[in-house]
Amino acid sequence: MSTVKPNNDSEAFNRVRIVLVDTTHPGNIGGAARAMKNMGLKQLYLVSPKDFPSDAAVWRAAGAADLLETAVVVETLDEAIGDCKLVVGTSARERRIPWPLLTPREFGDRAYAETQTHDVAVVFGREDRGLTNEELHKCNYHVHIPANPEYSALNLATAVQVLSYEFRMSALNAENGAPVHFDDWDQPPVDTNMVEAYYEHLQKTLERLGFLEPGNPRQTMTRIRRLYNRVRMDEMELNILRGMLTSVQNYIYHTDTKIQQLEENNAKESPKE
Amino acid sequence: MSTVKPNNDSEAFNRVRIVLVDTTHPGNIGGAARAMKNMGLKQLYLVSPKDFPSDAAVWRAAGAADLLETAVVVETLDEAIGDCKLVVGTSARERRIPWPLLTPREFGDRAYAETQTHDVAVVFGREDRGLTNEELHKCNYHVHIPANPEYSALNLATAVQVLSYEFRMSALNAENGAPVHFDDWDQPPVDTNMVEAYYEHLQKTLERLGFLEPGNPRQTMTRIRRLYNRVRMDEMELNILRGMLTSVQNYIYHTDTKIQQLEENNAKESPKE
């Protein structure tokens, strides 16, 4: 992997996108903004915040009120992460189907490497419930902040602080510059929108083939997501997968049509007596 | 990830499988055996060696002649790596389609982690030509020993020495024990035999669908291999992929049959006048 000189750092810092989902307490949004600015981060996305804009947010933001001004407010997580090529979700507890997991330090290193070339989203959930399974399954990786098993729920703003800090530490420790992720590769990586569209397409086809029960894809689609989310596909690879799917759909369409025609011919040639 | 105490080391060392493909000079086989034993490795596989057993090998092996006695001689690379769950191939030059690449040190760390639970194959090629593209595409990763661009071809035995040494360094440096790879996962990883069978199955189906030209799959199958080889599938994921493929094949079979029946019915009901 080649490396870039540290003077590209500001670009890297600008490519970290902190995404807060369904935040209940506006004070936490302000605290998160401050934590971000303290570490040199800028991009704040808010998905359906309960109470925003708010004086409470401005107060807790202190010298980072400008981040609140430029924060992007959206209604769905898809809108917040769709154009990102790496999405890391915070996870407080083990899930039934384990997801590729990074420590905060590994997150810092990876995020610093990848923000050399593209936006990286870090997704935080609700104060009481974290992220839903569906939200977590949109991520390439999860990150867990190790904590006291007897009391492991961090305040939202302080969680943002820890991960922002690890990003900054990785930037400072990259003495020879950051490794440039995907630099030795021959195709650009995909973003979340492209992948989500593929999953939709795939699920419909698998239901049509009878491989999945319509409306009840259960664990199979989750495991498929996990496989493809962790492999970090490039655009040509995704195009190949799409092409394979399309050739299956074309086959289905072609044979459905032919069967229909033959059945109509059969009916014509055997009129009822 | 959990870790294991270093006294499991001997098991890890026993799980490294050095695979030499089509070696021309038996002296190199002996030199490789010695390099292995010097670093505590044992498993030697020889794929179609030109001249083996041989006095020249015994002579160069010096105190490692026992490794030559226990070496496994096979005719194909598939036989040598089929039951391995991680296969790393040595690569001397950049290829047109880049493969996930490890430095010797990264190789050492990864191999040491994974040999806690399963065999890891390290594949070396011919003295003059290295490994073929087809052989390289059976690997999860490639490893390249950085060298002088003006003269970069290492002697086979010394290449075995460098990588065996890095394995040993990783073992010694793992002060707190080796991270156990796949330990936080919920399913066991696949081995090469399972994956190769899937690719064969997939290629035939894609040819039947007209997505691939029969006999000329070109770069598409190579890119598919690279995708699935690097994702390190677990057994349930592979079963899901197989299941999807089977449902496509069943659909093709079912519709072929139905179309044939309908065409026969059509012919019966329209006898020539």
Side-chain angles (χ1 to χ4, degrees):
Chain A
M1 265 188 243
S2 68
T3 61
V4 290
K5 296 276 159 51
N7 57 12
N8 275 8
D9 272 0
S10 55
E11 282 307 310
F13 280 76
N14 291 345
R15 290 196 185 100
V16 178
R17 180 180 305 178
I18 300 295
V19 180
L20 307 183
V21 177
D22 257 6
T23 312
T24 307
H25 305 294
N28 286 331
I29 297 177
R34 179 178 184 166
M36 286 170 63
K37 193 169 181 180
N38 284 151
M39 293 294 132
L41 305 185
K42 280 191 177 177
Q43 278 198 64
L44 178 60
Y45 272 58
L46 306 172
V47 180
S48 297
K50 232 186 192 72
D51 180 7
F52 186 84
S54 151
D55 288 346
V58 173
W59 190 78
R60 283 271 296 277
D66 55 325
L67 262 62
L68 298 179
E69 305 271 325
T70 55
V72 179
V73 181
V74 293
E75 292 187 21
T76 65
L77 180 55
D78 284 335
E79 291 169 77
I81 61 174
D83 60 336
C84 293
K85 296 176 195 264
L86 173 63
V87 180
V88 182
T90 53
S91 178
R93 57 192 180 281
E94 278 197 33
R95 306 279 169 161
R96 190 178 36 186
I97 298 177
W99 217 258
L101 192 63
L102 302 172
T103 61
R105 184 145 310 165
E106 288 167 342
F107 155 77
D109 289 343
R110 180 169 279 279
Y112 184 58
E114 297 209 25
T115 47
Q116 300 301 315
T117 51
H118 48 257
D119 278 29
V120 169
V122 193
V123 188
F124 297 78
R126 302 149 191 78
E127 289 96 326
D128 55 350
R129 287 177 288 130
L131 295 168
T132 63
N133 280 336
E134 190 182 337
E135 291 160 348
L136 283 168
H137 296 161
K138 292 181 186 291
C139 304
N140 302 102
Y141 303 100
H142 295 165
V143 62
H144 173 66
I145 301 173
N148 176 0
E150 293 183 23
Y151 183 35
S152 61
L154 272 67
N155 166 263
L156 176 57
T158 61
V160 171
Q161 184 75 86
V162 171
L163 296 182
S164 304
Y165 154 79
E166 281 289 11
F167 179 85
R168 188 171 187 81
M169 290 305 294
S170 294
L172 292 172
N173 285 337
E175 291 175 348
N176 299 319
V180 179
H181 225 81
F182 284 100
D183 188 58
D184 284 347
W185 212 249
D186 61 332
Q187 296 287 327
V190 295
D191 66 38
T192 309
N193 280 334
M194 299 172 187
V195 176
E196 289 290 329
Y198 172 71
Y199 292 145
E200 217 179 291
H201 198 191
L202 177 67
Q203 185 170 330
K204 287 199 173 80
T205 306
L206 295 179
E207 287 170 354
R208 174 67 181 79
L209 287 171
F211 182 73
L212 288 179
E213 237 176 271
N216 189 18
R218 297 166 74 189
Q219 286 199 11
T220 302
M221 278 309 296
T222 298
R223 288 185 182 276
I224 290 172
R225 276 176 168 273
R226 184 180 68 167
L227 175 80
Y228 290 122
N229 275 10
R230 84 171 175 273
V231 77
R232 311 302 307 287
M233 283 187 283
D234 65 43
E235 288 188 4
M236 190 175 287
E237 286 166 344
L238 184 58
N239 279 339
I240 289 172
L241 293 182
R242 275 188 193 141
M244 296 197 281
L245 203 54
T246 299
S247 71
V248 172
Q249 291 182 318
N250 288 346
Y251 186 89
I252 291 173
Y253 175 76
H254 170 81
T255 50
D256 277 0
T257 305
K258 191 168 176 78
I259 286 173
Q260 191 178 11
Q261 278 174 355
L262 288 169
E263 285 176 337
E264 283 170 6
N265 286 350
N266 262 351
K268 283 188 208 147
E269 290 171 12
S270 309
K272 293 193 188 310
E273 296 187 2
Chain B
M1 264 187 249
S2 68
T3 61
V4 290
K5 294 277 157 53
N7 56 12
N8 275 8
D9 272 2
S10 53
E11 282 308 310
F13 280 76
N14 291 346
R15 290 197 184 100
V16 178
R17 180 180 305 181
I18 300 294
V19 180
L20 308 183
V21 177
D22 257 6
T23 311
T24 305
H25 303 295
N28 286 330
I29 296 177
R34 179 177 185 168
M36 287 171 61
K37 193 169 181 182
N38 284 151
M39 293 295 133
L41 306 186
K42 281 192 178 177
Q43 278 198 62
L44 178 59
Y45 273 58
L46 306 173
V47 180
S48 297
K50 230 186 192 72
D51 178 6
F52 186 84
S54 149
D55 289 345
V58 173
W59 190 77
R60 282 272 295 278
D66 55 326
L67 263 61
L68 298 179
E69 305 271 325
T70 55
V72 179
V73 181
V74 293
E75 292 187 21
T76 65
L77 180 56
D78 284 334
E79 292 169 78
I81 62 174
D83 60 337
C84 293
K85 297 177 194 263
L86 172 62
V87 180
V88 181
T90 52
S91 179
R93 57 194 179 279
E94 278 198 30
R95 306 279 168 163
R96 189 178 37 185
I97 298 178
W99 218 257
L101 192 63
L102 302 172
T103 61
R105 183 145 311 166
E106 287 166 342
F107 155 77
D109 288 344
R110 180 169 277 281
Y112 184 58
E114 298 210 23
T115 47
Q116 299 302 313
T117 51
H118 49 257
D119 278 29
V120 170
V122 194
V123 189
F124 296 79
R126 303 151 189 77
E127 289 96 325
D128 54 350
R129 288 177 288 132
L131 295 169
T132 63
N133 280 335
E134 190 182 337
E135 291 161 348
L136 284 168
H137 296 162
K138 292 182 187 291
C139 304
N140 303 102
Y141 302 102
H142 294 165
V143 61
H144 173 66
I145 301 173
N148 176 2
E150 292 184 22
Y151 183 37
S152 62
L154 271 68
N155 167 261
L156 176 56
T158 60
V160 172
Q161 183 75 87
V162 170
L163 295 183
S164 304
Y165 155 78
E166 282 289 13
F167 179 85
R168 187 171 189 83
M169 290 305 294
S170 294
L172 292 172
N173 285 337
E175 290 177 347
N176 300 319
V180 180
H181 225 81
F182 284 99
D183 187 58
D184 284 347
W185 212 248
D186 62 330
Q187 296 287 326
V190 295
D191 66 37
T192 309
N193 282 334
M194 300 173 187
V195 177
E196 289 290 329
Y198 172 70
Y199 293 146
E200 217 178 289
H201 200 191
L202 178 66
Q203 186 170 331
K204 286 199 172 79
T205 307
L206 295 178
E207 288 170 354
R208 175 67 181 81
L209 287 170
F211 182 72
L212 287 179
E213 236 178 274
N216 190 18
R218 296 166 74 190
Q219 286 199 13
T220 302
M221 277 312 293
T222 298
R223 289 185 182 278
I224 290 172
R225 277 175 168 271
R226 184 180 69 168
L227 175 79
Y228 290 121
N229 276 11
R230 84 171 176 272
V231 78
R232 311 301 304 287
M233 283 187 283
D234 65 43
E235 287 188 6
M236 189 175 287
E237 287 166 343
L238 184 57
N239 280 339
I240 289 171
L241 293 183
R242 276 187 190 142
M244 296 196 283
L245 203 52
T246 299
S247 70
V248 172
Q249 292 182 315
N250 288 346
Y251 185 89
I252 291 173
Y253 175 75
H254 170 81
T255 50
D256 277 0
T257 306
K258 193 167 175 79
I259 286 173
Q260 190 178 13
Q261 277 174 355
L262 288 169
E263 285 176 338
E264 281 170 9
N265 286 350
N266 262 350
K268 282 187 209 149
E269 291 170 12
S270 308
K272 291 195 188 310
E273 297 187 2

